[in-house]
Amino acid sequence: MTTAQQPENPDAGAAQPGTRPPLAQTDWSQIPSPAFLVDVARLDANVAAVADAFASAGVALRPHFKTSKCLPVARKQLAAGAAGFTVSTPAEVKLLAEEGMPNLLWAHLPVGPGKVETVVTYAGAGVLTIILDSVAVAAPISAAAQQAGVEVPYLVEVNTGQGRTGVEPDQVLAVVTELDKLPGLRMRGVMTHEGHVGTHTVRSELEQAARKVGDDLAEVATQVREAGFTCDVVSVGATPSMRSAPFEPGVTEGRPGTYVYYDANQVRLGSCELDQCASSVLARVVSVNRPGSAIIDAGSKAMSSDIFIPELGMGTPVDLEGNPLPGISFASANEEHGFLVGDGTAALKVGDMLRIIPNHACGTSNMWSSALAVYPDGHTERWDIGARH
Ligand SMILES: Cc1ncc(COP(=O)(O)O)c(C=O)c1O
């Protein structure tokens, strides 16, 4: 691994346009569409850049596996120095644990009998830490852990603004005090997911909000320690905030996930450039019968519809080399049909191939059972995508 300075400015890490190679090419004519493509050179660059930034700052990197759900990607992240992985579902826990991946953080509240069983199995095997935000979630886990004779390590989730799950910062001490009374559980620290920073489209404001998340969580950790509880892990996690929140004093760990592939939404937020996006959906034009539009064979079942962004539509169309296609936007989709619109569609004909950079790489990869990994020399490999719902 090479070493790099911790980024000093908000845009560090987003290399200048034109300094990276175009997307890898292969014999596209033989590849059925739609297809989920992973450009291996870009993936490797993304993995290395973020691993190096964390390593040089002395902060642990525990990438979120939900983005790729793909073991070859996880192996690259581990080889680059990841301290473990973040996961969100029992299937992700099992896939990584059975592969021998270390230090898993299940960053979703494990409620219900199947999830409690998963916790006891893998925490008992020494590979899993969970998150908790209430005694109601913790009590069944405590009971099951006691019965199985195992100890379950946990982080307390803190709401730093996302407003999803998590304890309000001024309630953390009270909740930690109650959780501490439950047998079979072991407090290790605090965590947050600062996805809300993505509501700032001005990059400097986004970075400021991200730094505040790091500071707020570190402050909570100090209070917890001063009250006599263990709080060794102080964990933040999101891609838009990954150049600032993890590097605030007192933060020990970052959990970005999307950075492995990036996506059109991260380009919009200034987290990366378009030519860092490593995943795309290969599509062919199937109809140009209506002027001003073209229909492609990638619809909502190829892209996922979980993030529709008005200015981005269903994704960003690029040519096979990754260059933007002026005058063409991906306006809407049916399940297997994508609607490209705009003046630029006049140049398209049936059979033309293009790629769509997804708005949300995680949602898109979850639509696919495998990725076609494209190497710089043009050879390709099938990579299984596992642990899907
Ligand atoms: C708990 C948690 N940690 C980390 C992440 C990674 O964030 P991102 O997708 O912005 O990389 C997520 C994303 O949803 C998350 O929910």
Side-chain angles (χ1 to χ4, degrees), residues 318-333:
V318 296
D319 67 17
L320 290 173
E321 283 77 34
N323 304 305
L325 292 169
I328 300 181
S329 56
F330 192 169
S332 60

Side-chain angles (χ1 to χ4, degrees), residues 64 66 86 107 164 191 193 237-240 255-259 266 362:
H64 208 312
K66 70 173 173 102
T86 307
R164 189 170 66 180
M191 61 79 72
H193 169 55
T239 290
R255 310 181 317 274
T258 306
Y259 78 95
Q266 297 300 333
C362 317

Side-chain angles (χ1 to χ4, degrees), residues 195 198-201 240 258 262-271 277 303-317 328-333 339 341 356-364:
T199 56
H200 295 279
T201 48
T258 306
Y262 291 119
D263 56 27
N265 190 43
Q266 297 300 333
V267 175
R268 181 182 70 97
L269 293 173
S271 308
C277 293
M303 304 305 307
S304 114
S305 49
D306 73 337
I307 297 192
F308 179 88
I309 299 169
E311 64 265 42
L312 297 177
M314 293 290 297
T316 299
I328 300 181
S329 56
F330 192 169
S332 60
F339 290 68
V341 299
I356 309 293
I357 304 295
N359 286 343
H360 188 200
C362 317
T364 300

Side-chain angles (χ1 to χ4, degrees), residues 62-66 83-89 92-93 96 101-108 127-132 153-157 188-192 233-237 253-255:
R62 185 146 48 171
H64 208 312
F65 182 60
K66 70 173 173 102
F85 291 92
T86 307
V87 294
S88 37
T89 67
E92 291 172 9
V93 173
L96 287 180
M101 296 291 185
N103 198 15
L104 308 181
L105 175 67
W106 188 354
H108 199 293
V127 292
L128 184 65
T129 297
I130 63 167
I131 66 166
L132 295 172
Y154 68 92
L155 308 182
V156 171
E157 184 180 16
R188 289 191 58 206
V190 291
M191 61 79 72
T192 193
V233 180
V234 182
S235 175
V236 297
E253 172 181 284
R255 310 181 317 274

Side-chain angles (χ1 to χ4, degrees), residues 168-223:
E168 297 309 311
D170 62 357
Q171 296 299 309
V172 171
L173 259 189
V175 173
V176 168
T177 304
E178 289 307 305
L179 292 175
D180 194 56
K181 294 176 186 159
L182 296 176
L185 304 177
R186 179 163 54 90
M187 167 73 172
R188 289 191 58 206
V190 291
M191 61 79 72
T192 193
H193 169 55
E194 64 277 20
H196 62 284
V197 303
T199 56
H200 295 279
T201 48
V202 176
R203 191 70 202 180
S204 56
E205 292 172 9
L206 187 157
E207 299 288 356
Q208 196 181 0
R211 282 193 293 275
K212 180 168 175 359
V213 165
D215 294 343
D216 289 351
L217 193 67
E219 170 61 27
V220 167
T222 301
Q223 288 168 12

Side-chain angles (χ1 to χ4, degrees), residues 21-26 28 37 39 42 274-275 277 279-285 296 315-328 340 344 347-348 352-357:
L23 284 166
Q25 300 300 305
T26 189
W28 299 114
L37 306 178
D39 187 276
R42 288 190 182 180
L274 187 65
D275 64 3
C277 293
S279 71
S280 58
V281 172
L282 181 74
R284 281 182 174 83
V285 175
I296 56 173
T316 299
V318 296
D319 67 17
L320 290 173
E321 283 77 34
N323 304 305
L325 292 169
I328 300 181
L340 302 185
L348 296 176
D352 282 352
M353 301 181 80
L354 60 142
R355 299 188 190 203
I356 309 293
I357 304 295

